[in-house]
Amino acid sequence: MSRHRALGKVILNGEHAVVYGVPAIAVGIDTGAWAESSPAAESTLYVRGWDITVHETMPATEEDRANEAPLGRAFRNILEETRSRQRAQGGTVTANVSVVAEADLPPGGGLGCSAAIGVAVARALEPRASADEIASRVMAWERVFHGNPSGIDAAVSASGGCVYFRRGKPMERVSLKSPLILAIGNTGIASSTKTMVEVVARQVEQKRDTTERAFEGIRVLVENARHAITAGDLAALGKLLDLNQMLLAGLFVSSEDIERMCGSAREHGALGAKLTGAGGGGSVVALAPTTDTASRIVSAWRNDGFSGFVTTVGQEPSAYTYGESSP
Ligand code: PMV
């Protein structure tokens, strides 16, 4: 049986604003998810770790339907999307399968856990589909969990590498002049992307002018970050992370823990630090000049009761990107 892998993601610049059409830059990380499928009489999905099994067949009673985990709807959506696209493309239609999936990412951790599982499942349903095709199928899955997803999580999870993403546009790769050494920390507080996106949506509704100005500021940071990454100017990229954090805090998606972790990262040598993903808890990313500094940042977080790890994003997308591997 083949194991189909999908990547987690870290947004370097542009979360939240990306929902409103501003570009964002994100990188794929090897910590992600996998899925395996085998022929079955009825299609089911079991997510290990969450210990939930869902069925393609709708629950029989209204009460069971009301109590069904959102994962059930997401699984039906992705199966339906996969099969209808296969029919439209005149290809072979995926038969019933039993899928097992698992993620090594914290749910609600801002690292694209739900999209990574979705991408792994979509690949298990049709291993040969292209990264773009998989990412677009996963939108039907992501809408269940995120309400109004920009699509960045699925795009980066399916493609890997460093990506410049705009909602509804083909994604563009950003070439790295030098590898990015990242310390990624977790506040230990799970946050709901859907809720945090709604926090920003309310501000857009009530204070359109100020939120639009914040988004325009973020747009400038993203464009500059793209140049900094291509030029290998890590000091500039670090500053852009710090500035983005200020604008995100202004949108009320930061938290005391996030501020504390970003401050500690800077004190321990980070070039810059910010929340990554939806905020309100979840994760922070710090750009480090060396792996030693990144390890020092993670140790400092651990001393404060948070968790973290170091990852390096290289010039080439990860080997998992189109990933099939043996379990
Ligand atoms: O928290 P995550 O990993 O799902 O990232 C969400 C990123 C947002 O920009 C806040 C939402 C989106 O759909 O782009």
Side-chain angles (χ1 to χ4, degrees):
M1 202 188 305
S2 295
R3 188 166 271 199
H4 303 277
R5 294 192 180 271
L7 305 170
K9 67 98 204 16
V10 172
I11 300 179
L12 295 177
N13 264 158
E15 52 273 270
H16 284 294
V18 71
V19 173
Y20 298 88
V22 170
I25 294 181
V27 292
I29 55 170
D30 283 350
T31 319
W34 59 263
E36 292 171 357
S37 67
S38 50
E42 187 213 357
S43 290
T44 57
L45 167 64
Y46 172 60
V47 179
R48 268 203 224 162
W50 301 358
D51 201 19
I52 303 178
T53 302
V54 291
H55 301 255
E56 181 179 16
T57 320
M58 284 273 246
T61 67
E62 208 162 294
E63 194 188 339
D64 288 348
R65 280 199 287 278
N67 290 331
E68 192 196 36
L71 187 66
R73 207 150 36 95
F75 183 51
R76 271 195 293 282
N77 282 1
I78 205 160
L79 270 169
E80 206 178 294
E81 189 73 15
T82 300
R83 289 175 177 148
S84 72
R85 281 167 174 262
Q86 288 167 333
R87 275 188 210 102
Q89 290 156 9
T92 314
V93 175
T94 300
N96 284 346
V97 277
S98 151
V99 184
V100 178
E102 184 162 30
D104 340 311
L105 298 162
L111 303 178
C113 179
S114 68
I117 299 178
V119 166
V121 170
R123 283 212 171 111
L125 296 177
E126 194 188 340
R128 306 268 158 251
S130 69
D132 280 346
E133 178 67 21
I134 292 287
S136 104
R137 288 177 192 178
V138 172
M139 289 304 282
W141 161 286
E142 282 283 89
R143 269 191 283 274
V144 173
F145 300 107
H146 288 179
N148 181 20
S150 65
I152 189 168
D153 291 17
V156 180
S157 176
S159 75
C162 185
V163 165
Y164 174 91
F165 177 90
R166 269 172 304 169
R167 190 171 189 159
K169 301 260 166 58
M171 60 171 195
E172 296 169 37
R173 290 208 166 279
V174 182
S175 59
L176 304 177
K177 177 94 182 279
S178 50
L180 303 178
I181 303 165
L182 305 176
I184 296 165
N186 193 274
T187 57
I189 313 268
S191 84
S192 152
T193 302
K194 193 163 186 240
T195 307
M196 298 314 293
V197 168
E198 282 164 8
V199 165
V200 176
R202 270 197 298 280
Q203 295 172 65
V204 170
E205 220 174 273
Q206 290 163 8
K207 306 180 287 179
R208 183 165 287 275
D209 278 6
T210 38
T211 35
E212 268 172 14
R213 276 203 290 275
F215 292 159
E216 283 316 303
I218 293 172
R219 183 191 297 278
V220 174
L221 301 182
V222 172
E223 295 303 342
N224 287 338
R226 184 186 200 173
H227 293 307
I229 292 169
T230 321
D233 188 345
L234 299 183
L237 182 61
K239 289 206 177 71
L240 294 164
L241 262 57
D242 286 343
L243 292 168
N244 197 168
Q245 173 58 23
M246 278 172 52
L247 289 174
L248 287 164
L251 290 169
F252 302 103
V253 293
S254 190
S255 72
E256 261 179 50
D257 285 342
I258 290 171
E259 295 300 334
R260 195 165 153 214
M261 291 179 81
C262 290
S264 162
R266 291 178 199 120
E267 272 165 36
H268 289 87
L271 300 169
K274 62 181 272 294
L275 69 84
T276 185
S283 297
V284 302
V285 56
L287 179 68
T290 63
T291 43
D292 280 353
T293 307
S295 303
R296 264 203 306 281
I297 294 167
V298 170
S299 303
W301 285 337
R302 289 199 181 129
N303 287 339
D304 289 338
F306 303 111
S307 58
F309 61 95
V310 175
T311 193
T312 300
V313 181
Q315 268 96 341
E316 293 299 318
S318 162
Y320 290 166
T321 302
Y322 297 101
E324 254 183 60
S325 69
S326 297

